[in-house]
Amino acid sequence: MNQPLMISLDSLAQPIDFAALEAAAKSGGCASSSCGSSAKPDDMDADVWERIKDHPCYSEEAHHYFARMHVAVAPACNIQCHYCNRKYDCANESRPGVVSEKLTPDQARRKVIAVANEVPQLSVLGIAGPGDACYDWNKTRATFDEISKDIPDIKLCISTNGLALPDHVDELAAMNVDHVTITINMVDPEIGAKIYPWIFYQHRRWHGVEAARILHERQMLGLEMLTARGILTKINSVMIPGVNDEHLIEVNRWVKARGAFLHNVMPLISDPAHGTHYGLTGQRGPTAMELKALQDRLEGGAKLMRHCRQCRADAVGLLGEDRGQEFTLDQLPEAVAYDPAKRAAYREVVARERGDHVAAKQSAVAAVKDSAQEGGTLLVAVATKGGGRVNEHFGHAREFQVYEASAKGIVFVGHRKVDNYCMGGFGEDATLDGVIAALEGIAVVLCAKIGDCPQDMLTAAGITATDRYALDYIETAIGALYAATFGRAIEQAVA
């Protein structure tokens, strides 16, 4: 097994040594075309796999290795959602619609090139607001036109509420926009009226059930048009307890029937400080376990995305890591020129690592399936910087990736955001209490290192924490852990 590629797959918070990357890329091994294809699911068309294998939102496996960035060029919006307030911004907060600064298409071009030159993991450029990419269409189109000339291999994405989508599907196809996300929270206008107070359509404002009906019809039309043109669609749905949580089962059926590639059910973010209607009126969001329970019920319908981080409209970096504050306008050079060398070298290195990871994952999953006891289920939280390995210190983790091991194998089922426990080398009991609360339902935490004090406090809370599997592939570690937990002799099979 290859040694961990800590140079190329470490946290995006650290600069990447280009000379080391280039040397690793020239050191031999499998080419990116062969190693990349080795991760293809057996039930997926090869053409579809080529389109998603480096897309961190459309492929759970890719999100360990590849980064996205959003450019905030589309501030105008044509609907009002009860969970949205685009006026609010905090540099440390990750939430859709939030940005630190809006960009012109020319500024966006400078920023994308600057990021591509410094973040070789970059594979996807998206426009997700802070308004609506289809409603603010001229800026969206101008941005993509400019950037695709400089970086022709970057994947182009938009996120939209769907109201203006049908007007631009043909242009999206002509521009080679291959991935579109539509936020669909309802297929029943009576429920929609509880989520959307108004929409702006055909030069006038609509309210209530009639507004929701128009939005629903336009969303379904847009989805059908995208499917007919072979554009991959991801449906985002916000889970709002008591409003649409049960209804999302019906939403899942509707979007699957109309060809959606993925369905991403996200928790409502509801904080009075954000100034949203739901935040100010006390509408709660779901707990982590409530969200998981609904997602589990949706299995068998439209394929689920469970690794969403509900990104800012100006996010930069790996999912779960945001480097946007490194690339604000005041830090960008006036003149930029794209250099593809770093991204090319990174892809060569990561291709070999992915081939090794896939083999280890397949072995671990097969062993757990073969040896699982009936009813033997283990929910594991992993501290990771990326690369699919257990490689983050417990106290430095800002999130934990959650996996479920059972007779079905080893499956990624979500993530839990937390505050850093270590602050300048010292932990805060209150912060650790928050981490423990966020780990509701978790049996075991895997991390690269953990101190005695937090380990003891986790044990007292009924959570086992261990650094025994530091730097192992996540699935290999969980396979060995499953064997130890349930007394099955499978560690050799996953070594």
Side-chain angles (χ1 to χ4, degrees):
M1 180 179 294
N2 294 341
Q3 292 298 310
L5 295 179
M6 301 307 291
I7 293 173
S8 60
L9 302 177
D10 207 348
S11 170
L12 280 177
Q14 301 297 325
I16 289 178
D17 184 338
F18 176 53
L21 255 185
E22 189 172 42
K26 294 178 179 178
S27 65
C30 59
S32 60
S33 59
S34 60
C35 277
S37 63
S38 67
K40 184 184 82 66
D42 293 336
D43 60 349
M44 184 174 292
D45 181 80
D47 175 66
V48 173
W49 175 243
E50 279 299 312
R51 294 156 66 188
I52 72 164
K53 67 183 178 70
D54 297 341
H55 196 308
C57 301
Y58 280 69
S59 165
E60 186 275 320
E61 190 258 348
H63 99 279
H64 295 290
Y65 303 100
F66 289 98
R68 84 295 184 234
M69 73 173 294
H70 296 162
V71 286
V73 297
C77 195
N78 51 356
I79 73 172
Q80 178 61 55
C81 309
H82 276 324
Y83 51 75
C84 182
N85 177 11
R86 291 175 291 118
K87 295 179 181 179
Y88 180 89
D89 172 52
C90 172
N92 295 319
E93 185 191 1
S94 179
R95 180 167 58 87
V98 170
V99 298
S100 293
E101 54 190 8
K102 292 177 285 188
L103 307 175
T104 66
D106 181 65
Q107 290 169 335
R109 173 186 172 273
R110 288 168 51 212
K111 182 172 181 176
V112 173
I113 292 174
V115 170
N117 287 340
E118 295 298 324
V119 183
Q121 296 93 331
L122 181 67
S123 65
V124 172
L125 170 66
I127 297 177
D132 187 79
C134 287
Y135 184 61
D136 218 343
W137 178 249
N138 289 338
K139 295 172 186 174
T140 295
R141 180 178 57 196
T143 301
F144 280 165
D145 284 346
E146 286 298 314
I147 293 169
S148 61
K149 294 174 186 175
D150 290 291
I151 313 177
D153 70 327
I154 199 164
K155 296 183 186 297
L156 303 178
C157 295
I158 67 162
S159 179
T160 175
N161 59 51
L163 183 58
L165 173 61
D167 301 331
H168 303 294
V169 168
D170 287 334
E171 288 178 277
L172 288 167
M175 293 162 58
N176 294 317
V177 175
D178 210 20
H179 305 77
V180 172
T181 295
I182 314 171
T183 298
I184 300 178
N185 294 315
M186 56 83 200
V187 293
D188 179 347
E190 294 287 344
I191 293 175
K194 301 175 183 178
I195 303 171
Y196 307 103
W198 58 261
I199 68 170
F200 188 79
Y201 178 64
Q202 292 185 341
H203 310 293
R204 58 165 286 193
R205 187 171 290 195
W206 304 74
H207 297 84
V209 174
E210 184 65 11
R213 180 189 63 77
I214 294 170
L215 178 61
H216 163 61
E217 291 174 353
R218 297 285 288 177
Q219 289 175 336
M220 294 301 108
L221 175 60
L223 174 55
E224 291 166 358
M225 293 174 69
L226 291 168
T227 299
R229 288 157 180 77
I231 296 173
L232 298 178
T233 52
K234 174 169 67 72
I235 307 304
N236 283 353
S237 296
V238 179
M239 179 184 175
I240 310 165
V243 177
N244 73 342
D245 44 353
E246 289 295 323
H247 181 60
L248 289 181
I249 297 171
E250 188 67 15
V251 172
N252 185 271
R253 294 193 190 104
W254 276 66
V255 300
K256 179 182 180 181
R258 286 158 179 78
F261 181 74
L262 283 176
H263 189 193
N264 172 34
V265 178
M266 310 176 294
L268 171 70
I269 299 174
S270 182
D271 185 333
H274 300 161
T276 66
H277 173 81
Y278 280 149
L280 295 173
T281 57
Q283 171 64 54
R284 73 174 183 88
T287 67
M289 294 306 289
E290 286 174 335
L291 176 65
K292 181 181 182 300
L294 176 59
Q295 291 171 330
D296 289 346
R297 291 173 65 190
L298 295 176
E299 288 290 348
K303 183 180 178 183
L304 296 179
M305 174 190 183
R306 297 203 190 209
H307 60 283
C308 176
R309 303 306 200 271
Q310 294 176 275
C311 302
R312 295 167 57 101
D314 58 1
V316 176
L318 289 171
L319 302 190
E321 291 276 359
D322 191 357
R323 293 180 60 181
Q325 294 304 308
E326 298 176 36
F327 299 98
T328 53
L329 285 175
D330 61 322
Q331 300 178 79
L332 300 180
E334 285 297 324
V336 290
Y338 174 56
D339 180 358
K342 289 186 181 182
R343 291 178 68 232
Y346 177 78
R347 286 169 184 266
E348 289 296 322
V349 173
V350 83
R352 296 197 297 276
E353 173 77 353
R354 287 177 84 174
D356 187 30
H357 185 187
V358 167
K361 178 178 178 178
Q362 290 173 342
S363 177
V365 169
V368 168
K369 284 182 177 180
D370 290 344
S371 304
Q373 293 182 348
E374 185 173 349
T377 298
L378 197 62
L379 209 57
V380 182
V382 182
T384 178
K385 297 177 181 180
R389 294 186 182 269
V390 182
N391 57 8
E392 179 66 285
H393 190 296
F394 173 83
H396 299 164
R398 289 184 282 188
E399 70 166 29
F400 292 90
Q401 296 187 8
V402 180
Y403 291 77
E404 186 172 76
S406 69
K408 296 180 180 180
I410 302 170
V411 181
F412 181 97
V413 295
H415 71 283
R416 308 286 178 87
K417 293 181 180 180
V418 297
D419 293 325
N420 297 63
Y421 173 65
C422 286
M423 303 293 289
F426 298 94
E428 300 272 350
D429 286 348
T431 301
L432 186 54
D433 288 341
V435 173
I436 291 172
L439 294 173
E440 175 195 5
I442 300 298
V444 182
V445 172
L446 301 181
C447 54
K449 190 173 180 60
I450 185 169
D452 291 340
C453 180
Q455 189 172 39
D456 290 344
M457 291 184 68
L458 286 167
T459 300
I463 302 171
T464 299
T466 178
D467 52 18
R468 176 184 176 189
Y469 305 101
L471 303 186
D472 282 356
Y473 285 122
I474 292 170
E475 293 83 4
T476 300
I478 293 174
L481 177 67
Y482 191 90
T485 301
F486 293 104
R488 296 288 186 173
I490 63 171
E491 290 200 62
Q492 288 185 343
V494 298

